[in-house]
Amino acid sequence: MQLDLLIEQFKKKDEKAFEALYNMYAKNIHGVIFNIVRDHDIAEEIMQDVFIKAWHKADTYTAAKGRFFTWILNIARNAAIDKTRSKSFKNKKQNLDAQFFVDILEHGDNLNDKTDAIGVGKFVSKLAKKCIEVIELLYFKGYTQKEASESLDMPIGTIKTRNRNCINELRAIVLN
């Protein structure tokens, strides 16, 4: 089925379209969520919630505003960030087991295979180091602009400007 037709069917609450879109995007969405929450079970739960939310809010998607994948990715990213800010998540993470930290050390906690399931890494890696740092924190690790500002020891205005400029550079790379 062609993607546009699939999305239209999804908006009309067609279960087969839902299933097809879920199968197309679940792995990628899970990877992005996992990179933020760092827990497979929680990432799975959030991913399912994201698809249910997308199902209920399907009529709000407009192709003129962007691609469907970008729309559902933003829902997923926001849901994952909301989860990390929740009191229950913070309480659970107070007593992390050693495997959590070993995993971070082994993978370098950067653009890994789970995050790069859609091939964004090859485009991001073409950017300048300063752009990679900002994009990695804001989009792949779920930092707020304020948190990125503190982490990189830069004024928030610099983070905002760098983010905008780097996304424009990334867009140019992708379109060429």
Side-chain angles (χ1 to χ4, degrees):
M1 222 185 253
Q2 190 177 16
L3 185 59
D4 294 337
L5 178 61
L6 203 55
I7 292 167
E8 285 307 312
Q9 293 301 316
F10 176 79
K11 289 172 80 172
K12 294 176 184 173
K13 307 297 186 204
D14 182 315
E15 291 179 16
K16 289 186 193 267
F18 175 88
E19 185 178 348
L21 289 169
Y22 183 89
N23 290 335
M24 285 173 69
Y25 296 128
K27 183 177 178 184
N28 300 331
I29 297 297
H30 183 276
V32 171
I33 294 169
F34 175 79
N35 219 33
I36 294 170
V37 299
R38 308 288 298 164
D39 182 303
H40 286 290
D41 294 334
I42 293 173
E44 185 71 29
E45 179 185 327
I46 293 170
M47 182 188 64
Q48 290 174 2
D49 290 345
V50 164
F51 277 95
I52 291 169
K53 185 174 185 176
W55 175 259
H56 291 295
K57 303 250 183 207
D59 58 327
T60 64
Y61 169 70
T62 308
K65 291 183 181 179
R67 292 177 35 222
F68 180 81
F69 179 75
T70 305
W71 178 72
I72 201 163
L73 183 66
N74 282 327
I75 294 172
R77 186 177 163 275
N78 291 340
I81 291 169
D82 288 348
K83 183 68 174 179
T84 63
R85 292 180 182 159
S86 73
K87 192 171 191 168
S88 65
F89 184 84
K90 288 178 181 174
N91 287 340
K92 183 180 180 222
K93 292 299 177 188
Q94 284 180 351
N95 295 317
L96 295 172
D97 69 10
Q99 186 57 41
F100 179 81
F101 297 103
V102 171
D103 186 49
I104 290 173
L105 293 173
E106 286 175 356
H107 291 98
D109 198 27
N110 57 11
L111 289 174
N112 61 29
D113 293 338
K114 291 178 184 81
T115 306
D116 197 32
I118 59 173
V120 173
K122 70 179 178 185
F123 297 115
V124 172
S125 67
K126 294 179 183 178
L127 296 171
K129 185 177 186 289
K130 65 182 183 178
C131 286
I132 293 172
E133 288 177 335
V134 170
I135 288 174
E136 206 171 84
L137 290 178
L138 294 176
Y139 295 98
F140 296 108
K141 293 185 181 174
Y143 281 40
T144 62
Q145 290 178 335
K146 183 179 183 220
E147 291 167 338
S149 167
E150 291 167 359
S151 177
L152 296 173
D153 196 28
M154 288 182 200
I156 195 163
T158 303
I159 295 292
K160 290 178 179 186
T161 302
R162 200 168 276 180
N163 180 34
R164 184 180 59 248
N165 293 341
C166 293
I167 291 298
N168 286 335
E169 282 181 43
L170 187 59
R171 184 176 293 124
I173 291 169
V174 170
L175 296 175
N176 286 334

